[in-house]
Amino acid sequence: MISHRTSRFSRMSLRAATRRLKRAGDKPHVIYLAIGFPPAAKSSAYRLRETANQFCAIGWDVTVITICQEAWEREYGLDHTLSEAVDPRVQVVELPLFREDLETDIRAFSEARSLQPQQWIDERDKQEQKIFPEKKFGRWRFALEKALLRVHRERPADLLMTTCAPYVNLAATWKLWQTYRVPYAVDFRDGWSIDVINGNEAFPPDSVAGRWERRVLDHALSIWCVNDPIARFYQERYPHLADRVRVVRNGFDANSRPTLVRRPDPADGLTFGYLGSVNFPPAQLNAVLNAWRTARQQDEVLARSRFEVRGHFGAGAMREANAHVELLKAAAPDDVIFGGPVPKAEVGATYARWDALVLILVGGRYVTSGKVYEFMASGLPVLSAHEIEHDASNVLADYPLWTGACGFDPQRLAAAFSQAARFAIEATDEDRAKARASAERYRRGALLAPAVRHVADLALGNHSPANRTSGAPSNTIRNQEPQI
Amino acid sequence: MIKVLIVAGMVPPRTAVLVSALRQLRERGAQVRLACHFPLSRLPLEDGLAELRSLQAAAKGAGAAFRAAVSGAEPARQVWLHARRDPWVREHARTADVLVALDQRAVHTVWQLAQRHRGCDAVFGLTPAIKAVDARLNNPSRAGRKGALRTPSPRLLVSETRHLSRDTARLLARAATGRQAMRTGAARAIWRATVSTPGIPDRVRVKLAKRVEDSMIRVGHLASAAAAANGAARHLRDPRMRAELFKPIVDLDLKRGRLPAHLADAVTGELYDAEALYRGFPPTKAATPVAQAFDRLFHRALHFDSLMSPLAKDPQGFLAPLHNSMMARVLAGNQGRSEPAAPLPVDRPQRLLFPIGLNDNFLTPIRQRYESMPGIEVRYLDLSPGTPLRTFLNRGRERLIAHRLAGKSQYGDRALELFGPDLEWADTIFVDWCTVFAGMLSLVDPRSTRVIVRLHSYEAFSWWPHLVDFTRVDDVVFVSEHLRELSIAAIPGLRRPHGPRTHVVTNALDLQRYVRPKSPEARFNLGLVGIGAIAKDPRWAIEVLRTLRERDARYRLLLIGKDPDPTVSAAAQQYCERYERDLAELEPTGAIRRIGQTDDVPAALAEIGVILSSSVRESFHCALVEGAASGAVPVVRNWPFFAGKPHGAHTLFPREWVVETPQEAAKRILAATATEEVWNEERQAASQHALATWDWSVTQHEYDRLLLDPAAR
């Protein structure tokens, strides 16, 4: 059962949605397979929203395919304020797909699952990978394929824009290509065959996943990645696709900027803040908290300061009950405040209450994060708690209120807290303006617009994509008949 | 008021999270009860947050049937079996609005309760619990559902029937193969025969045999356990399955300091397992079974805490399971180097690099010589505790194996960062000890730098040389010929057609500083320097002393150094017990004196008239040579590890120094100390030989040839 909604998210019946789709005029139509589209409270939602809006802005009809809102309740929940900035012309199709591993209603469990919950999930993962080589999501393959074909039949698409994760989207993308030869582009974001956290290959080219990746990428009009190291990885792995790999960085949204500039009051202490979805290991958070404690012993201003941590912690049964939250709650005597997630509409106001930001990131040279751009745009001092060799360091290199990255050495991290405090106290309005200006080039819209325009042009035949291996015409197929 | 019943199957690892959630529930006016499957003392909570109940305390006094049912059940089922018989749980589950499983082990209990009480919410996790309470507060009509759903779920009947039949069958099987049964000889005989019966499917046979074997081991019938494992293994072809059966017996033997009869089976199975994982993805998963195979094959009880090593006896035979495995071929390495070692520079000083900080006992004279030599630049890689390099090396074995299996890793990248620049700087790196750093060096392409590794003795009995990629090593230096023979037989990388050059160069010893006058009383003092390892076999020296004292009670034995450590293994403990008994007998009479550790060995040697080497294994035995240089008469046991081999103590030292038995040693001592004149003559001859052969002033030229001679590259 598929339900459609417009960007205002009033649910529509399938028949009404179909009529609406068919009513549309001759505008080009993009199906955007974007699981995590607003109102999902996912870190990727901003990029997905902007991509859809950019297609609307250049005159395309956009149909987003995502999963139903109830499904997100099991993960990081919903943030309806995210939907407010979705272009009203965007139509959204919601699929009733759920992550079963995140189910918390025990009545929905089989007895076997109740006896061995983890083993049940592991076994399911194993089975799932026979359908598509991706844990937790592989089972969605056929539902996604069916939905995509159905939406295309209802209103033929000129382009399929697919964004991963989940990577099972690639199976549906391939199905639409195989059946109707609908050209597609893949917003790969962090890539698949690269393990961005550890910097290793995630799977070899001759594995099942490796064959899937190559098969789908071979025919893609364009392949987007979020940073240069990931793009380079793909260019080296698939030299014949090198000219189709494009870096489309994340950026910041203008409404995430604090509207007011807070005047730090050293007598009252400062407020340090972290905001973001948490995917770094607890040991990393522990290192930051230990450095915070050390810094408070060494620095009088920090001794009366606060460290507020906001964001999504854990999912399913572990939601806000994981090791990170334990560390944060146990650090309450050190004026560490755990506050849960912040709705998108309140992000700017949250930054406005803070004096300095703590950028805690996992991984190394293959990770940039989206958060770094938002932190820069705030104009606040930024303390880096990540590996020295990290792509966020490249982005922050010319940010004037950055403490620099020092890895996780406790003393150096403690010194970085003091340095950030000094920045906060001593920075002039001019310094802050300069800091904000250095982020200007990372406005999300400005970063995405040329990439969207490029892929739209490719789909409509304004440019010929290089070296299409299938030899099939890529641009003008609006055929509802399956290709045989 | 909303009633919440939380079940915890284990001690909550996150107390602060639990406390915070309980406070939130209290703020919402909920009445919270917490049933814990552990002693309540392990969960200190502030008053008023929840009413606590220990399921285990409630089960005290339960009958044998309950205990038997619990003992074999899965952990989650154990929690439920306890909860089911607790009236407190039954009562509060009946009235609860929200049932909460705090952890995975509690889920089944909540599932069972939820089947019985269908009106309440049943959730997994604290945040879902708070949400369920909020939902009830926002929608009080939900409470009305309770009355309508009082009857248990039909799923319950299915579940109960299944569990009853399964539990009964399991209990019968467990009783028949349990410890109680295995205490009777008849049961053991029946099970030994049963697991050996032809026609049983392999998986069933392994499972049954493992259970039987485990029960037999637990009641101390090890021979029966071994026989059962043997009998079952005869019908198994898969080496991994065979290893499953043999590993418990093998580990028990190793723990007891004995050479396991089925060590080869256990190791072969482990390496097959590794091979299967290596063929999968990621291949690095094979690192763990490889490491486990190494741990068994090179267990200290076999090679270091016993008076004979199967590896010394038959290196190729003993290591055949490793050598014949695919893993050995992968680990032996073929990474090679991007370019050969460059010729020595002519336009600048030669650059030498020494890793230091692991064990520099034998390196100091070499370092000092080249530090002060003109035209040589020396640099050190500091591996001392606390340095980044040492941190990198610590617990690095599995990561090194994983790198070698995958061919690349972040660990390898880190190695390049840490010592790549120094390696690049050096013309030659001299790695003393073929252990962890020699292994780690294989992570990095040495490019044009010449790599020299020195192997003493201990390493030949360890896994480290098997993790060195000798295609990246130019020269391997041994301190004696017999070690070279043993190492080449044991380490395939050394006998490859294009393997490294091998050299024998004795240890660098400054022997002049030991030459001191001795008093005539020293004539009857036998000395043994360095007794900390079982391989030093001080009991052999005591046996020599006993033989001597039968003839002349003036002979005494001075033991210099730390006593052997009985805690390292059962084998060491057995040896130390016998050693302590010897000391208890002879020390009070003054026949043995323990000097302990000393910083002034030359002074200690001045008291010694006869220096002994009683070891079962030595590469060179510096203490013996230092004693000889000091003017003590040397008496060397023909080290048994090498006694029957072409080279050993009998070829390293003058033939007259070497003896085969304690009696022969006593005979030599009596002759050499018969009179003061004879003694003086003997000891001076020995001192002159030592100084002329092994003093640093003589041997340093061999090191010069090795390190500085352009022709050596």
Side-chain angles (χ1 to χ4, degrees):
Chain A
M1 176 68 184
I2 302 172
S3 73
H4 290 66
R5 56 186 161 84
T6 65
S7 61
R8 289 298 170 214
F9 304 99
S10 57
R11 287 163 186 262
M12 298 173 71
S13 71
L14 177 58
R15 189 173 293 172
T18 308
R19 271 203 307 272
R20 186 179 171 135
L21 283 168
K22 285 183 174 168
R23 256 203 326 267
D26 284 337
K27 284 189 194 172
H29 177 214
V30 58
I31 300 175
Y32 187 23
L33 186 47
I35 293 172
F37 196 78
K42 299 268 290 177
S43 56
S44 57
Y46 311 126
R47 182 180 178 98
L48 273 46
R49 180 180 68 181
E50 188 62 34
T51 306
N53 286 352
Q54 289 291 342
F55 272 108
C56 283
I58 58 170
W60 284 58
D61 284 339
V62 180
T63 304
V64 169
I65 297 180
T66 182
I67 60 171
C68 61
Q69 297 183 24
E70 293 82 350
W72 299 115
E73 290 286 4
R74 293 184 186 179
E75 206 174 316
Y76 288 163
L78 298 168
D79 179 358
H80 289 289
T81 67
L82 273 167
S83 306
E84 287 163 10
V86 176
D87 191 300
R89 291 168 288 182
V90 172
Q91 298 216 26
V92 179
V93 176
E94 288 183 351
L95 307 178
L97 296 172
F98 295 85
R99 269 187 67 178
E100 290 203 38
D101 59 305
L102 299 181
E103 176 63 86
T104 56
D105 180 1
I106 291 176
R107 287 190 188 284
F109 286 19
S110 64
E111 188 183 9
R113 181 174 184 176
S114 77
L115 276 164
Q116 296 187 317
Q118 191 53 50
Q119 286 90 328
W120 185 88
I121 291 171
D122 293 345
E123 185 54 36
R124 198 174 167 82
D125 283 348
K126 218 182 281 176
Q127 297 303 325
E128 203 143 31
Q129 290 187 83
K130 291 179 184 165
I131 302 170
F132 184 82
E134 185 182 20
K135 288 178 185 175
K136 320 291 181 207
F137 302 101
R139 209 173 285 265
W140 291 4
R141 175 181 170 182
F142 301 122
L144 286 169
E145 288 177 353
K146 209 168 144 189
L148 206 50
L149 293 175
R150 193 165 177 177
V151 169
H152 176 71
R153 285 186 198 121
E154 287 163 3
R155 166 85 199 276
D158 301 276
L159 172 69
L160 169 64
M161 186 77 215
T162 296
T163 180
C164 307
Y167 302 98
V168 69
N169 286 349
L170 298 178
T173 303
W174 184 246
K175 184 75 177 177
L176 190 64
W177 168 256
Q178 285 277 292
T179 316
Y180 291 111
R181 285 289 189 266
V182 175
Y184 59 88
V186 180
D187 180 3
F188 231 178
R189 289 164 18 208
D190 288 336
W192 190 18
S193 54
I194 169 83
D195 172 356
V196 291
I197 308 296
N198 299 311
N200 298 328
E201 180 188 46
F203 47 77
D206 58 354
S207 62
V208 180
R211 291 198 298 273
W212 262 111
E213 183 180 79
R214 170 157 185 157
R215 182 189 305 159
V216 178
L217 294 190
D218 265 355
H219 296 269
L221 290 176
S222 186
I223 301 153
W224 298 356
C225 304
V226 294
N227 61 29
D228 294 302
I230 297 173
R232 267 199 300 279
F233 171 86
Y234 275 101
Q235 284 163 337
E236 284 166 17
R237 189 176 176 93
Y238 306 111
H240 63 293
L241 302 177
D243 59 344
R244 281 187 251 167
V245 177
R246 179 179 182 130
V247 176
V248 183
R249 286 189 173 271
N250 287 311
F252 69 91
D253 301 284
N255 61 356
S256 301
R257 282 187 148 169
T259 43
L260 292 171
V261 178
R262 177 180 150 92
R263 295 267 160 236
D265 177 6
D268 184 40
L270 306 175
T271 305
F272 284 72
Y274 169 84
L275 172 61
S277 298
V278 171
N279 58 1
F280 46 80
Q284 199 170 328
L285 177 62
N286 198 31
V288 174
L289 293 175
N290 285 337
W292 167 252
R293 292 183 186 105
T294 308
R296 280 162 64 84
Q297 285 164 6
Q298 295 169 353
D299 189 314
E300 282 180 17
V301 175
L302 289 175
R304 43 181 188 270
S305 298
R306 301 151 295 281
F307 180 14
E308 189 176 337
V309 181
R310 306 293 302 268
H312 294 285
F313 287 77
M318 286 295 109
R319 189 162 171 184
E320 294 193 4
N322 60 7
H324 300 84
V325 178
E326 176 72 12
L327 287 168
L328 291 169
K329 302 230 173 192
D334 302 304
D335 288 320
V336 175
I337 304 151
F338 168 64
V342 176
K344 180 66 178 168
E346 294 170 24
V347 168
T350 304
Y351 286 131
R353 289 192 290 106
W354 291 346
D355 300 302
L357 303 174
V358 183
L359 182 65
I360 312 175
L361 294 176
V362 72
R365 61 186 154 149
Y366 289 100
V367 177
T368 313
S369 84
K371 205 46 62 187
V372 64
Y373 306 106
E374 199 171 277
F375 275 29
M376 286 173 77
S378 72
L380 294 169
V382 176
L383 179 166
S384 270
H386 51 69
E387 292 291 348
I388 297 169
E389 198 193 332
H390 196 286
D391 197 53
S393 299
N394 301 331
V395 175
L396 284 162
D398 54 359
Y399 185 68
L401 298 180
W402 181 43
T403 61
C406 58
F408 298 98
D409 177 76
Q411 278 304 330
R412 294 177 68 188
L413 212 45
F417 268 108
S418 297
Q419 170 75 30
R422 275 197 301 281
F423 277 153
I425 294 165
E426 293 165 10
T428 61
D429 288 348
E430 199 178 309
D431 294 333
R432 289 170 195 277
K434 261 190 207 160
R436 273 194 298 273
S438 72
E440 274 309 307
R441 62 184 186 277
Y442 297 122
R443 278 181 182 272
R444 195 187 297 277
L447 292 169
L448 269 165
V452 166
R453 206 172 304 119
H454 173 72
V455 84
D457 284 348
L458 288 175
L460 297 177
N462 297 341
H463 294 293
S464 290
N467 195 23
R468 299 273 302 168
T469 52
S470 72
S474 64
N475 45 1
T476 55
I477 295 172
R478 301 182 75 175
N479 192 355
Q480 280 183 268
E481 296 306 313
Q483 300 286 303
I484 298 169
Chain B
M1 178 184 281
I2 292 178
K3 293 176 180 170
V4 179
L5 175 62
I6 303 175
V7 182
M10 50 201 266
V11 181
R14 291 159 201 140
T15 322
V17 169
L18 175 63
V19 168
S20 165
L22 293 177
R23 284 187 187 140
Q24 289 180 58
L25 289 169
R26 187 173 59 184
E27 284 161 13
R28 287 161 169 78
Q31 184 181 32
V32 181
R33 294 186 172 89
L34 178 55
C36 306
H37 191 242
F38 50 83
L40 296 182
S41 57
R42 299 185 64 188
L43 183 65
L45 285 182
E46 63 191 81
D47 289 341
L49 278 181
E51 182 186 334
L52 300 181
R53 172 78 167 180
S54 168
L55 297 177
Q56 286 173 325
K60 260 187 189 161
F66 174 77
R67 287 200 305 275
V70 167
S71 71
E74 298 142 306
R77 180 108 181 125
Q78 288 180 5
V79 180
W80 165 238
L81 292 174
H82 280 81
R84 184 168 68 173
R85 70 186 309 281
D86 187 344
W88 184 93
V89 173
R90 291 200 300 270
E91 184 196 331
H92 294 301
R94 205 165 33 241
T95 57
D97 298 291
V98 182
L99 296 169
V100 184
L102 195 57
D103 52 58
Q104 301 219 356
R105 283 190 188 174
V107 171
H108 182 63
T109 299
V110 170
W111 185 88
Q112 287 280 0
L113 294 173
Q115 305 309 314
R116 286 163 172 78
H117 310 292
R118 297 163 71 193
C120 56
D121 289 306
V123 296
F124 181 19
L126 288 167
T127 302
I130 293 167
K131 283 174 75 176
V133 168
D134 285 343
R136 281 182 177 261
L137 288 170
N138 295 333
N139 182 11
S141 64
R142 279 172 68 86
R145 292 171 57 208
K146 284 177 72 175
L149 295 167
R150 272 193 192 283
T151 51
S153 161
R155 292 165 87 182
L156 202 57
L157 184 63
V158 178
S159 163
E160 289 296 298
T161 310
R162 191 168 56 225
H163 278 295
L164 186 65
S165 53
R166 207 178 65 179
D167 288 353
T168 308
R170 186 172 49 79
L171 279 173
L172 285 172
R174 286 187 67 80
T177 57
R179 277 178 281 178
Q180 200 62 40
M182 294 307 166
R183 288 201 170 94
T184 62
R188 291 197 300 276
I190 288 168
W191 281 116
R192 280 199 308 269
T194 306
V195 298
S196 314
T197 308
I200 303 174
D202 286 357
R203 287 170 70 102
V204 176
R205 188 190 300 280
V206 170
K207 197 170 174 187
L208 181 63
K210 272 176 72 75
R211 160 81 182 155
V212 167
E213 181 189 8
D214 178 62
S215 296
M216 287 174 175
I217 289 174
R218 280 167 184 265
V219 293
H221 288 285
L222 306 184
S224 286
N230 251 324
R234 273 202 298 275
H235 298 275
L236 297 169
R237 282 196 183 163
D238 185 339
R240 286 176 291 183
M241 286 185 168
R242 292 169 60 83
E244 279 303 299
L245 294 182
F246 286 126
K247 278 192 287 192
I249 299 284
V250 165
D251 289 344
L252 205 66
D253 278 338
L254 290 172
K255 201 172 158 195
R256 294 177 174 213
R258 292 194 299 233
L259 174 62
H262 292 285
L263 180 63
D265 282 300
V267 170
T268 303
E270 203 88 69
L271 293 170
Y272 259 85
D273 195 21
E275 190 178 323
L277 291 168
Y278 177 72
R279 291 183 194 282
F281 186 80
T284 50
K285 279 188 183 169
T288 304
V290 168
Q292 284 169 355
F294 278 159
D295 286 340
R296 291 197 171 95
L297 211 47
F298 298 102
H299 196 281
R300 62 171 303 134
L302 299 180
H303 311 295
F304 300 106
D305 300 334
S306 307
L307 298 180
M308 186 31 103
S309 152
L311 191 153
K313 213 170 180 177
D314 177 12
Q316 297 201 359
F318 178 74
L319 294 175
L322 175 64
H323 290 169
N324 296 339
S325 75
M326 178 195 175
M327 288 295 100
R329 288 192 290 280
V330 175
L331 290 171
N334 51 7
Q335 302 170 104
R337 50 200 300 164
S338 55
E339 50 191 298
L344 283 178
V346 289
D347 53 345
R348 60 162 173 80
Q350 184 186 342
R351 294 166 178 169
L352 284 179
L353 181 63
F354 292 101
I356 55 165
L358 285 173
N359 178 348
D360 301 338
N361 290 346
F362 302 110
L363 191 62
T364 310
I366 302 173
R367 280 171 51 177
Q368 286 169 347
R369 174 169 177 76
Y370 298 109
E371 248 173 28
S372 57
M373 186 177 279
I376 304 284
E377 279 182 44
V378 173
R379 197 186 269 190
Y380 299 106
L381 278 174
D382 191 0
L383 313 179
S384 312
T387 58
L389 264 169
R390 182 60 165 267
T391 310
F392 173 77
L393 298 183
N394 285 342
R395 294 187 298 279
R397 183 182 65 163
E398 257 185 62
R399 284 181 288 184
L400 171 64
I401 297 173
H403 174 95
R404 299 294 302 282
L405 296 175
K408 60 180 179 178
S409 68
Q410 276 200 322
Y411 194 58
D413 296 344
R414 180 78 180 129
L416 185 63
E417 275 171 34
L418 281 171
F419 52 82
D422 288 308
L423 202 56
E424 182 73 31
W425 169 87
D427 296 310
T428 305
I429 179 170
F430 184 90
V431 183
D432 199 17
W433 299 96
C434 187
T435 55
V436 54
F437 189 74
M440 297 304 170
L441 203 57
S442 301
L443 293 167
V444 176
D445 177 1
R447 294 161 60 89
S448 62
T449 304
R450 181 179 175 213
V451 177
I452 304 176
V453 175
R454 183 162 67 165
L455 190 150
H456 292 261
S457 162
Y458 143 81
E459 309 100 295
F461 299 90
S462 80
W463 55 73
W464 285 116
H466 300 272
L467 291 177
V468 173
D469 183 349
F470 284 101
T471 62
R472 291 186 162 180
V473 175
D474 298 279
D475 300 87
V476 180
V477 179
F478 301 90
V479 295
S480 53
E481 189 59 53
H482 57 278
L483 247 301
R484 172 156 69 176
E485 277 174 9
L486 174 71
S487 303
I488 288 175
I491 305 160
L494 291 178
R495 47 176 195 266
R496 280 181 170 181
H498 302 292
R501 293 177 290 257
T502 60
H503 313 263
V504 174
V505 186
T506 50
N507 270 315
L509 298 171
D510 174 12
L511 297 177
Q512 294 291 350
R513 68 193 188 101
Y514 295 94
V515 182
R516 295 197 185 177
K518 289 189 197 290
S519 66
E521 293 75 44
R523 176 157 63 113
F524 298 101
N525 290 347
L526 317 183
L528 191 58
V529 181
I531 52 171
I534 302 297
K536 301 290 179 183
D537 197 8
R539 296 194 68 234
W540 190 89
I542 293 172
E543 191 53 34
V544 174
L545 178 72
R546 284 185 206 277
T547 312
L548 284 170
R549 283 175 68 88
E550 282 169 12
R551 297 279 298 273
D552 188 338
R554 285 177 297 175
Y555 287 101
R556 293 191 308 162
L557 176 62
L558 307 186
L559 297 172
I560 300 169
K562 213 164 62 173
D563 278 331
D565 181 358
T567 62
V568 291
S569 71
Q573 191 184 353
Q574 287 157 19
Y575 184 92
C576 288
E577 280 169 8
R578 292 193 290 268
Y579 171 65
E580 286 298 332
R581 278 201 295 272
D582 289 337
L583 291 177
E585 178 198 334
L586 293 167
E587 221 172 6
T589 66
I592 292 180
R593 186 151 68 91
R594 277 188 282 187
I595 310 287
Q597 269 192 303
T598 174
D599 291 333
D600 191 356
V601 177
L605 285 173
E607 280 190 64
I608 288 170
V610 177
I611 185 77
L612 299 178
S613 172
S614 56
S615 308
V616 291
R617 158 180 67 83
E618 289 288 352
S619 57
F620 181 67
H621 207 174
C622 295
L624 180 277
V625 173
E626 286 161 359
S630 81
V633 175
V635 178
V636 185
R637 179 186 189 182
N638 196 6
W639 304 320
F641 275 37
F642 308 102
K645 306 278 164 76
H647 294 90
H650 52 288
T651 52
L652 183 61
F653 300 118
R655 197 63 194 91
E656 63 273 19
W657 291 14
V658 183
V659 298
E660 299 292 338
T661 62
Q663 291 69 31
E664 214 180 300
K667 200 172 153 192
R668 168 163 161 75
I669 293 166
L670 287 170
T673 57
T675 66
E676 198 172 324
E677 291 72 31
V678 173
W679 174 58
N680 281 332
E681 211 172 287
E682 285 277 349
R683 68 191 191 82
Q684 276 159 17
S687 176
Q688 278 164 15
H689 180 81
L691 291 168
T693 315
W694 299 300
D695 184 57
W696 184 224
S697 60
V698 179
T699 55
Q700 60 189 342
H701 303 300
E702 293 179 57
Y703 281 90
D704 288 350
R705 271 194 294 281
L706 179 73
L707 292 166
L708 309 182
D709 187 349
R713 293 178 83 85

